[in-house]
């Protein structure tokens, strides 16, 4: 279910902050939130990739 339902959503989601990060002021709330999200993509990727984790 993660691969069929979550994978496409995750792929779309992770490209959005990467593309917009250069357009946003670093000290702004949005900039901080986007950097926080980007710093935690490894954990989200593990969730999507590993069918046995977090079940």
């Amino acid at each position: 279910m993660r691969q069929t339902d979550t994978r496409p959503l995750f792929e779309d989601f992770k490209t959005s902050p990467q593309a917009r990060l250069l357009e946003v002021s670093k000290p702004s709330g949005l900039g901080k939130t986007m950097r926080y999200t980007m710093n935690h993509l490894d954990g989200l990727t593990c969730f999507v990739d590993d069918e046995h984790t977090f079940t």
Side-chain angles (χ1 to χ4, degrees):
M1 190 163 159
R2 280 188 203 158
Q3 294 301 314
T4 58
D5 295 342
T6 308
R7 171 65 64 189
L9 295 172
F10 178 69
E11 293 300 325
D12 288 343
F13 169 77
K14 76 177 186 179
T15 59
S16 180
Q18 289 173 343
R20 304 277 324 259
L21 195 56
L22 297 175
E23 301 172 9
V24 177
S25 171
K26 285 184 179 183
S28 72
L30 180 57
K32 290 176 184 178
T33 300
M34 291 173 74
R35 280 193 312 284
Y36 176 88
T37 301
M38 296 303 298
N39 288 334
H40 289 84
L41 281 179
D42 287 344
L44 290 170
T45 302
C46 287
F47 168 79
V48 173
D49 290 341
D50 187 358
E51 64 188 54
H52 301 293
T53 305
F54 304 109
T55 56

